[in-house]
């Protein structure tokens, strides 16, 4: 049993924030950001476009693209690090918004690896014969977790959501790998609500995202090629058979290093981070939706999706379009 993507969708806030816009609020410049990251602009959410709102919009578009109704869904998994509520889960909010009354729904937290983790999780349910049709979503509103005075992080991230409708299939191929190293979690972290109550005599506080950029860079350029080579070996697939490597959109320099290590042309690593920045769990499905709607993906194309991020976590999936 394999898994096929039968529809895609995406949603981003209307508000565009350019590098020049950021230069007005923090000490930076368009040239500084572009030369170090490849990012020109990103979308930032306003009050009416939070994580669940964007996730539901992307889900509706994916269902329309797939040509199925929400009632046909068996399972919804939302990968997010920035849900609107502690509970109910964002996936349950999406379920209610789109009318997927039959579907089990839950969130999954694996940061920028989240969409790959969620896709592989749904595939495992399919392989076990439990479900047949699912909705996998990556959505994040990282703008609410960022310290806008910290130029090392605030220039990198944006908000958005992407979704894929998936279905169990007896044809095609699907191979996956995932990993985590919690001992290195401090390299990219965001504390949640602290303990605050009448016993501590203080109220709860919220923290902001912090990142050791060099540590994350070294982790990505080593781990991503390793995970890609692993799924290639396990599937007995030659690297030349892969049409596109759809990677988490973090930094253009990371792409260059990965392409060099894998000895593949940059043309095989499509990007959109120049327009959206790093939207965490949403980067891969947003890019996948853009490529699908632009007609760049044909039936039978072999793709590798690879994510990496906080945890530290990583994962790769080889699938057939």
């Amino acid at each position: 049993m394999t898994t096929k993507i039968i529809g895609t969708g995406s949603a981003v806030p209307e508000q565009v924030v350019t590098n020049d816009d950021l230069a007005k609020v923090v000490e930076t410049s368009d040239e500084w950001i572009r030369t170090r990251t490849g990012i020109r602009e990103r979308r930032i959410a306003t009050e009416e476009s939070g994580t669940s709102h964007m996730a539901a919009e992307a889900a509706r578009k994916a269902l329309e693209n797939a040509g199925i109704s929400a009632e046909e869904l068996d399972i919804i998994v939302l990968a997010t690090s920035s849900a609107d509520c502690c509970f109910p889960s964002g996936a349950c909010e999406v379920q209610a918004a789109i009318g997927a009354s039959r579907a089990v729904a839950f969130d999954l937290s694996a940061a920028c690896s989240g969409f790959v983790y969620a896709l592989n999780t749904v595939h495992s349910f399919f392989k076990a014969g439990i479900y047949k049709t699912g909705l996998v979503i990556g959505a994040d509103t990282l703008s609410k977790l960022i310290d806008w005075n910290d130029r090392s992080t605030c220039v990198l991230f944006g908000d958005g959501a992407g979704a894929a409708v998936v279905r169990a299939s007896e044809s095609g191929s699907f191979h996956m790998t995932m990993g985590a190293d919690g001992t290195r979690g401090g390299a990219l972290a965001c504390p949640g609500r602290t303990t605050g109550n009448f016993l501590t005599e203080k109220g709860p506080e919220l923290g902001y995202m912090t990142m050791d950029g060099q540590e994350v860079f070294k982790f990505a350029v080593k781990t991503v090629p390793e995970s890609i080579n692993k799924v290639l070996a396990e599937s007995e697939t030659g690297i030349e058979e892969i049409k596109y490597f759809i990677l988490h959109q973090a930094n253009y320099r990371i792409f260059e290093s990965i392409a060099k290590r894998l000895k593949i042309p940059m043309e095989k690593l499509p990007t959109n981070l120049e327009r959206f920045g790093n939207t965490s769990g949403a980067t891969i499905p947003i890019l996948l939706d853009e490529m699908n709607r632009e007609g760049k993906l044909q039936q039978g194309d072999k793709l590798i999706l690879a994510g990496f991020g906080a945890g530290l976590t990583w994962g790769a999936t080889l699938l057939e379009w």
Side-chain angles (χ1 to χ4, degrees):
M1 186 66 67
T2 68
T3 296
K4 290 272 193 178
I5 295 176
I6 62 171
T8 61
S10 59
V12 294
E14 293 184 6
Q15 182 64 56
V16 177
V17 175
T18 67
N19 293 341
D20 289 332
D21 291 331
L22 288 182
K24 297 174 184 177
V25 298
V26 69
E27 186 180 349
T28 190
S29 68
D30 175 63
E31 181 185 12
W32 191 92
I33 298 169
R34 281 190 297 104
T35 56
R36 287 162 176 78
T37 69
I39 300 168
R40 297 197 312 266
E41 60 187 41
R42 70 286 294 148
R43 303 296 184 94
I44 300 298
T46 52
E47 291 182 1
E48 68 273 10
S49 56
T51 302
S52 295
H53 175 86
M54 292 187 294
E57 185 177 347
R60 292 187 189 98
K61 292 178 180 178
L63 289 167
E64 182 181 7
N65 186 241
I68 72 168
S69 67
E71 288 80 4
E72 295 179 60
L73 295 173
D74 300 312
I75 181 172
I76 300 171
V77 181
L78 170 60
T80 186
S81 302
S82 51
D84 296 329
C85 306
C86 294
F87 47 83
S89 71
C92 283
E93 291 183 309
V94 171
Q95 185 219 41
I98 66 175
S101 57
R102 292 183 51 254
V104 62
F106 59 89
D107 288 358
L108 183 153
S109 177
C112 302
S113 306
F115 183 79
V116 173
Y117 265 55
L119 178 62
N120 291 347
T121 297
V122 172
H123 167 71
S124 298
F125 278 108
F126 288 175
K127 195 170 182 179
I130 299 172
Y131 303 124
K132 294 182 178 180
T133 304
L135 177 64
V136 182
I137 311 169
D140 272 300
T141 312
L142 294 183
S143 60
K144 63 186 179 183
L145 306 180
I146 291 171
D147 178 356
W148 290 96
N149 295 311
D150 177 11
R151 76 168 185 174
S152 67
T153 56
C154 75
V155 302
L156 302 175
F157 298 98
D159 303 329
V165 177
V166 293
R167 180 163 280 169
S169 174
E170 294 182 359
S171 63
S173 58
F174 192 102
H175 299 270
M176 66 183 190
T177 184
M178 296 184 290
D181 183 359
T183 65
R184 299 163 72 185
L188 180 52
C190 182
R193 183 184 294 238
T194 61
T195 301
N197 53 48
F198 74 97
L199 297 175
T200 62
E201 297 184 347
K202 61 182 180 181
E205 299 176 352
L206 294 176
Y208 293 108
M209 181 189 308
T210 60
M211 182 175 69
D212 182 337
Q214 287 298 315
E215 180 66 18
V216 173
F217 184 93
K218 290 186 290 184
F219 155 71
V221 299
K222 178 178 183 292
T223 306
V224 173
E226 288 177 348
S227 61
I228 288 174
N229 284 325
K230 184 176 181 180
V231 292
L232 287 170
E234 291 180 354
S235 63
E236 298 182 345
T237 303
I239 197 167
E240 71 282 353
E241 297 179 55
I242 305 302
K243 186 172 182 180
Y244 292 114
F245 297 81
I246 302 176
L247 309 185
H248 166 54
Q249 304 288 292
N251 186 306
Y252 196 79
R253 287 182 174 180
I254 291 177
F255 295 157
E256 291 177 322
S257 297
I258 291 172
K260 185 176 180 180
R261 291 197 179 205
L262 292 174
K263 298 179 181 179
I264 56 175
M266 286 295 292
E267 291 75 21
K268 286 202 167 190
L269 275 64
T271 68
N272 64 4
L273 84 165
E274 60 276 5
R275 291 179 289 114
F276 298 115
N278 181 345
T279 56
S280 190
T283 67
I284 290 175
I286 289 175
L287 179 56
L288 196 65
D289 182 48
E290 286 194 324
M291 295 177 69
N292 180 30
R293 292 174 187 274
E294 291 170 4
K296 294 181 178 179
L297 304 176
Q298 306 299 321
Q299 184 175 354
D301 285 347
K302 291 184 178 180
L303 311 174
I304 286 183
L305 317 183
F308 54 92
L312 294 172
T313 59
W314 63 91
T317 304
L318 188 157
L319 57 83
E320 192 172 307
W321 191 254

